[in-house]
Amino acid sequence: MKTHTRYFNQKVTPKACIIFFLSALFYLYEFVLQVAPSVMAKSMMQTFHVSAAGFGAISACYFYAYAPMQLPAGLLFDRFGPRKLISIALCICAFGTLFFASTNSIFTAALGRFLIGGGSAFSFIGILVLISRWFPARYFALLAGTAQLMSSIGAMFGEMPLAILIKRLGWREANFVLFGIGLILAILLWLFIRDFPEGMPKINTPKRSFKEEWRRLMTVCQNFHTWAIGLYACAIWTPIAVFAALWGVPYLQQKYMINLITASSLCSMIWLGIGLGSPLLGWFSDKLCLRRLALALSAILGLVSTLMILYVPGISITQMYIILFIFGLGAGGQTLSFAVVKDNNLPEFVGTASGFNNLAVLIGGAIFQPIIGIILRNSEKVTSLTGISAYSLSSYNKALVIMPSCYALSLLLVLFLINESHPEKKY
């Protein structure tokens, strides 16, 4: 059986590196916007006069746009190419941020988050498509992990540095700054991104009908491995979406009675672990030609660390920095899942298959961010500090049980449903 490498560029060029770096900057920017509500929780709950459930719903509007856009985004990338789509999507993110920061209405704030999510839906898939066209196939897992490193840097900027900026300027003004950065980056992307290397045969077919696009999607969905790895990706990333991207900062503030900046610095360790672990896990799986071993290691690290975070008493703040870093390492399997999806689908379906997998990744956040808020709102132990709802540590521990549960599920999937897919093993 032959490997499908005819659409991959066979050498690394400086132009390819520039294109990868700029597209990864979009992913970095998107993650700043994604995790920003975690350091705005108390300010926004006070501004909009909402409980944890209302705040969780506003934040989750990001995922309500991001998740369902993954399938059409993948199809659109296969049809129209990344340059136009990435540039337009980044503009939508920037203006969504402006919209979000300019209102006193819960509805319009939620709509702003919705626009941010819709634009962000094109970031990671665009990177994967560009990697598949501009780099040799053997670099796919490593570069996908490197892109995740860039996103983790963005998430870290969205924690303590953004918290400091909010403290100095206010949460609205900080979002205005993010709006300006987004516009500048969109211009750079339009000027430098190109869909294909010179002389490379174009694989998109602009005249395909909707019926043909639907058939492409069905081809991807009929592959059992697409569903198995999609469920794994959902389970491995849901703890990050609910803890690192939203409830982790208020949880740590309550657990250790610390201020916003200290709690956000703790959460930054999660993103540092993701950023370092994702390319390392990709390299590890390529070096040993074993995808399953790397996926299982990711699940084990996540399971052990989340059990320690929630249920092991007496952990100091210093120890928590280390545990949260390991928690981030455990999420690296999410990035590797895209390499597994690529391994199991034809190159002309990379955009569509990646969109499906990214949809699976984001479903957990869309579902469980507001559900955890509802559980907290209905908690019997609720106190009020300066008019802002605060919840007991036991309430958080009950609501966040989804974290170790998801990692346990991901480990079972690797052991019983996911087959080895590394090209050098498979072929």
Side-chain angles (χ1 to χ4, degrees):
M1 186 174 182
K2 296 180 180 180
T3 55
H4 304 285
T5 58
R6 61 186 181 279
Y7 294 133
F8 290 84
N9 196 20
Q10 294 305 305
K11 62 180 180 179
V12 178
T13 64
K15 187 173 184 179
C17 294
I18 293 172
I19 288 174
F20 170 74
F21 177 73
L22 287 175
S23 61
L25 281 180
F26 178 18
Y27 199 33
L28 182 153
Y29 176 75
E30 178 257 307
F31 258 78
V32 174
L33 302 182
Q34 183 181 149
V35 307
S38 67
V39 296
M40 302 178 187
K42 291 187 176 181
S43 299
M44 288 181 59
M45 288 167 69
Q46 191 171 31
T47 298
F48 295 108
H49 305 289
V50 294
S51 65
F55 172 66
I58 292 174
S59 177
C61 283
Y62 172 97
F63 295 104
Y64 298 152
Y66 196 128
M69 277 302 297
Q70 294 309 301
L71 292 180
L75 293 169
L76 289 171
F77 273 116
D78 285 340
R79 181 165 185 171
F80 296 111
R83 185 191 180 207
K84 293 179 181 179
L85 291 177
I86 289 177
S87 301
I88 294 172
L90 185 48
C91 287
I92 293 173
C93 287
F95 280 99
T97 304
L98 177 65
F99 200 54
F100 174 72
S102 304
T103 182
N104 290 314
S105 166
I106 295 176
F107 175 78
T108 49
L111 184 58
R113 288 292 295 174
F114 188 86
L115 290 174
I116 294 171
S120 297
F122 292 84
S123 59
F124 190 52
I125 302 176
I127 295 174
L128 298 180
V129 173
L130 287 169
I131 292 173
S132 71
R133 296 178 180 182
W134 282 89
F135 291 88
R138 64 183 179 275
Y139 292 113
F140 190 93
L142 176 61
L143 289 174
T146 304
Q148 189 68 67
L149 170 61
M150 294 289 286
S151 72
S152 298
I153 294 172
M156 292 175 70
F157 275 116
E159 296 285 357
M160 187 171 68
L162 185 59
I164 295 172
L165 186 63
I166 291 170
K167 185 176 180 179
R168 293 183 178 179
L169 301 180
W171 74 269
R172 293 187 189 277
E173 290 75 11
N175 277 278
F176 290 144
V177 172
L178 293 176
F179 162 70
I181 293 173
L183 284 186
I184 294 172
L185 183 56
I187 294 171
L188 291 174
L189 288 171
W190 177 259
L191 292 176
F192 291 100
I193 294 288
R194 293 296 180 267
D195 291 340
F196 291 95
E198 294 182 4
M200 182 180 180
K202 294 178 172 57
I203 62 175
N204 57 317
T205 55
K207 294 184 179 181
R208 285 198 300 264
S209 65
F210 174 79
K211 186 176 181 180
E212 290 172 316
E213 298 285 13
W214 179 257
R215 188 179 298 117
R216 290 166 60 82
L217 176 59
M218 289 298 100
T219 300
V220 171
C221 291
Q222 287 170 4
N223 186 341
F224 169 79
H225 294 96
T226 300
W227 288 93
I229 196 61
L231 183 57
Y232 172 90
C234 176
I236 211 76
W237 193 253
T238 293
I240 300 298
V242 300
F243 190 86
L246 190 61
W247 296 111
V249 170
Y251 170 81
L252 292 168
Q253 285 185 279
Q254 182 67 23
K255 184 180 181 72
Y256 292 109
M257 296 300 171
I258 53 180
N259 60 33
L260 173 64
I261 294 176
T262 304
S264 61
S265 71
L266 277 165
C267 275
S268 295
M269 296 304 295
I270 303 174
W271 299 110
L272 180 61
I274 296 171
L276 295 178
S278 295
L280 182 61
L281 208 62
W283 172 85
F284 177 76
S285 71
D286 284 338
K287 185 70 174 178
L288 299 182
C289 300
L290 294 173
R291 302 285 197 220
R292 290 182 73 237
L293 179 60
L295 294 175
L297 178 62
S298 176
I300 293 170
L301 289 175
L303 177 60
V304 172
S305 60
T306 51
L307 288 173
M308 293 182 69
I309 291 168
L310 297 177
Y311 305 118
V312 175
I315 294 176
S316 67
I317 292 181
T318 302
Q319 292 170 330
M320 185 59 72
Y321 274 103
I322 299 172
I323 295 170
L324 290 172
F325 177 77
I326 296 172
F327 177 24
L329 290 177
Q334 178 264 150
T335 304
L336 186 58
S337 71
F338 287 92
V340 180
V341 164
K342 179 194 71 69
D343 293 340
N344 285 283
N345 286 276
L346 294 173
E348 52 265 41
F349 296 146
V350 166
T352 304
S354 299
F356 181 93
N357 199 61
N358 219 20
L359 168 62
V361 169
L362 272 299
I363 285 177
I367 295 173
F368 289 105
Q369 276 194 353
I371 285 180
I372 289 173
I374 293 171
I375 294 172
L376 290 173
R377 183 193 64 187
N378 295 330
S379 171
E380 296 179 357
K381 298 179 180 179
V382 180
T383 58
S384 179
L385 300 174
T386 65
I388 303 172
S389 296
Y391 305 94
S392 69
L393 193 60
S394 62
S395 297
Y396 275 114
N397 289 341
K398 291 177 183 177
L400 294 173
V401 69
I402 184 64
M403 295 164 59
S405 300
C406 282
Y407 283 122
L409 173 61
S410 65
L411 182 58
L412 291 174
L413 288 167
V414 174
L415 294 177
F416 298 108
L417 290 182
I418 296 176
N419 295 325
E420 183 56 57
S421 66
H422 194 283
E424 292 188 24
K425 289 287 185 180
K426 182 177 179 181
Y427 299 110

